[in-house]
Amino acid sequence: EGSKPHIFHLAVNLLQQQHKTKMKPKSVLVIGASGRTGTKIMEQLFRYHVKPDVYAFCRDPKKLDNAVKNLCSGVITGDAQVPADIERALNKSRADLVIVAVGNSRDKQKTDVRTRTAQALVKVLQRHEYYHINVVVVSRVGAGKSPIRAGWGRGMLMKLISRHSLKDHGGQEDVFLANMKNRTMIVRPIGLTEDAETGRIYELHDSKKKLRSTRTDRMDLAQWVVFEGVYGKNSDSHFY
């Protein structure tokens, strides 16, 4: 844990820590399943040839896309900020991986939904019977100590506009880093958008380099998370 992490930008900013066990999950629980990012990630999980069991966890199943709902192994209703609801979802899904894609449609306002979700999840996952479960967390470039290198003054403006969201993302990261760093992969995309899929994702090994884009398409992000992060070349590493 004392080794210096490697830094990646993949239109996404990742800090890598080597881990001795590869993530090859058989059952995945997606928290924030009814959101735009959660939906894209589930779509990619369904497409992967291993075809893990995929469980959607959300407050209101009616908000789930019908096509996604029909492909799920199960839909679990609950509040991700309530530890008892999370434990029930983990037991029902028998998940060995949790993907956290919690968002807020009012990100320009003060919010702590991500931080509170992280606190509830970590409280459960710290129990001995859940030590085998890994977590992938969708965060954001600019969260924590990560810079936004998007050109002269532009990064500062982006950080100002998104200050409430970034504070919540940072709080979420802090909870995982302080309690279960070795079981957590944190993915930091920049400027999530839709209908701009490129099929490409950039991994830059130097965080001081300027980002090639200030936008990451949700489908591109979802493809990387599933095909590279969870099952691909980065699956033998945990990110924090």
Side-chain angles (χ1 to χ4, degrees):
E1 294 202 355
S3 61
K4 184 178 179 180
H6 303 290
I7 299 175
F8 298 84
H9 283 269
L10 120 177
V12 167
N13 179 353
L14 300 172
L15 303 183
Q16 182 185 40
Q17 177 188 10
Q18 294 300 318
H19 192 275
K20 63 183 180 181
T21 305
K22 289 190 176 185
M23 281 198 298
K24 299 294 182 185
K26 296 180 179 179
S27 181
V28 181
L29 178 68
V30 180
I31 296 179
S34 61
R36 290 174 292 176
T37 302
T39 295
K40 296 297 184 184
I41 289 174
M42 286 193 294
E43 289 176 356
Q44 293 305 311
L45 286 166
F46 299 142
R47 293 178 184 178
Y48 194 71
H49 65 86
V50 172
K51 298 190 183 305
D53 293 332
V54 179
Y55 288 82
F57 182 83
C58 56
R59 286 188 180 188
D60 185 0
K62 293 179 181 179
K63 293 183 179 180
L64 275 175
D65 180 86
N66 285 329
V68 168
K69 186 186 299 185
N70 291 335
L71 290 171
C72 283
S73 300
V75 177
I76 303 171
T77 304
D79 186 342
Q81 299 178 45
V82 177
D85 285 3
I86 289 178
E87 184 169 17
R88 175 170 51 82
L90 292 173
N91 291 336
K92 184 174 181 179
S93 64
R94 296 185 178 181
D96 47 0
L97 174 67
V98 177
I99 297 179
V100 182
V102 178
N104 189 321
S105 60
R106 298 181 297 277
D107 266 351
K108 293 182 181 179
Q109 300 177 17
K110 290 184 178 180
T111 178
D112 63 354
V113 62
R114 300 175 185 86
T115 304
R116 290 170 63 86
T117 296
Q119 291 169 341
L121 179 58
V122 166
K123 183 176 182 179
V124 176
L125 293 183
Q126 283 183 307
R127 298 174 189 168
H128 179 75
E129 60 266 38
Y130 301 117
Y131 274 4
H132 65 289
I133 300 176
N134 295 316
V135 181
V136 173
V137 181
V138 178
S139 185
R140 180 173 178 172
V141 166
K145 297 180 180 179
S146 63
I148 301 179
R149 302 190 183 278
W152 182 259
R154 196 173 183 183
M156 292 181 63
L157 178 61
M158 292 171 65
K159 210 153 193 175
L160 176 63
I161 294 172
S162 305
R163 64 190 182 279
H164 297 310
S165 168
L166 291 174
K167 182 179 180 180
D168 193 26
H169 278 296
Q172 173 183 243
E173 291 187 10
D174 289 344
V175 172
F176 287 104
L177 295 183
N179 295 284
M180 48 179 293
K181 180 170 66 175
N182 285 343
R183 291 190 282 153
T184 302
M185 173 188 288
I186 289 178
V187 185
R188 296 178 181 146
I190 184 155
L192 284 175
T193 188
E194 295 179 80
D195 301 321
E197 182 181 355
T198 66
R200 301 187 304 273
I201 208 84
Y202 297 106
E203 295 181 14
L204 303 181
H205 293 259
D206 185 354
S207 65
K208 294 182 180 179
K209 290 184 179 180
K210 181 180 176 182
L211 293 170
R212 296 192 185 190
S213 171
T214 57
R215 290 285 181 267
T216 304
D217 183 77
R218 282 187 169 83
M219 184 61 77
D220 287 336
L221 169 64
Q223 288 175 348
W224 189 93
V225 166
V226 174
F227 288 82
E228 298 295 343
V230 176
Y231 288 105
K233 65 181 180 181
N234 292 309
S235 65
D236 59 349
S237 302
H238 280 220
F239 297 75
Y240 69 95

